[in-house]
Amino acid sequence: FIRAQKDPKTALKKVEYFMELKTTPKYILDSMGHWQKSLKKWLVERSTGKSRSISQQMKQAHKLAEDYGYDAAFVDYLRISSELHEGIQGTSSKSRRATYYRQLGQVYEVLKDAGFWDIPLVYYEACIKELPKSPIAKKCYREVEEEITLGFTGSAGTFIPESEKKHLQKLREMAGL
């Protein structure tokens, strides 16, 4: 109801329904309280016609995640992802699309624990390919490098497979580093 249908009213009804159930775990109820607030803000924005920029929404979602945990900001990040996907389809500017791809990578960094595991990498790579050898491509490469390194780091150290190292090198060259 949030990302695809953009229906905060129905989403709010669903959240409130589950909040009233006695079987809903406490840790989920805490997050649902934040979801409820986010959906109510969205409804107010709709009724007043005042919407916030993606940048403003990203800052608010980041602060919410920092203050209360990443899952508290799920509604905000799903909403942002919807707007970014529309932005990609609605512009012919490679620079704008590269920026949107990077922002989608950042959004899915937060949402990956909700089942979007490898999606951030897809968007960071799309950013690099969209505008090679640009400042934004360099930023996106650094995000890819960090994700890959973290993904192959464990208690025994960091062991990146040779195929991943080659792929990183190819992306590094594309980014102009």
Side-chain angles (χ1 to χ4, degrees):
F1 297 106
I2 296 167
R3 188 167 161 246
Q5 296 175 0
K6 296 183 192 165
D7 183 356
K9 190 175 184 177
T10 303
L12 181 60
K13 285 180 186 176
K14 295 287 184 190
V15 166
E16 289 174 343
Y17 167 80
F18 284 104
M19 288 176 79
E20 291 175 15
L21 290 178
K22 302 238 186 277
T23 56
T24 303
K26 168 92 172 90
Y27 72 95
I28 293 177
L29 283 172
D30 292 340
S31 296
M32 287 180 150
H34 295 289
W35 302 346
Q36 183 183 42
K37 287 177 191 171
S38 294
L39 291 165
K40 285 180 177 179
K41 279 185 187 177
W42 188 5
L43 285 169
V44 169
E45 285 178 21
R46 274 203 168 165
S47 68
T48 62
K50 294 181 181 178
S51 61
R52 296 169 294 141
S53 70
I54 289 173
S55 178
Q56 291 170 320
Q57 290 179 60
M58 290 279 281
K59 284 178 188 170
Q60 182 177 342
H62 180 74
K63 176 152 180 43
L64 188 60
E66 257 185 9
D67 292 348
Y68 301 103
Y70 70 93
D71 53 336
F74 276 0
V75 166
D76 298 81
Y77 281 116
L78 286 169
R79 182 177 170 201
I80 294 165
S81 73
S82 178
E83 292 182 31
L84 289 170
H85 284 287
E86 284 180 2
I88 288 169
Q89 292 183 354
T91 187
S92 58
S93 165
K94 287 182 173 271
S95 176
R96 279 286 354 127
R97 280 198 312 267
T99 298
Y100 290 150
Y101 285 134
R102 180 166 186 252
Q103 289 173 318
L104 277 166
Q106 293 168 333
V107 165
Y108 287 113
E109 285 283 334
V110 176
L111 295 175
K112 69 182 171 185
D113 287 336
F116 298 101
W117 302 288
D118 291 333
I119 292 179
L121 290 172
V122 171
Y123 288 113
Y124 292 140
E125 287 187 30
C127 166
I128 295 166
K129 291 173 184 174
E130 187 68 36
L131 209 61
K133 299 188 187 313
S134 67
I136 191 95
K138 289 171 178 57
K139 289 178 184 177
C140 289
Y141 172 78
R142 288 185 191 98
E143 301 279 3
V144 168
E145 185 178 48
E146 183 179 328
E147 274 292 296
I148 296 290
T149 302
L150 285 174
F152 289 101
T153 300
S155 59
T158 302
F159 299 98
I160 301 173
E162 198 57 41
S163 61
E164 287 295 327
K165 286 180 183 178
K166 286 179 183 177
H167 185 67
L168 274 173
Q169 184 57 38
K170 182 179 171 186
L171 291 173
R172 183 181 182 83
E173 290 168 8
M174 260 193 226
L177 292 171

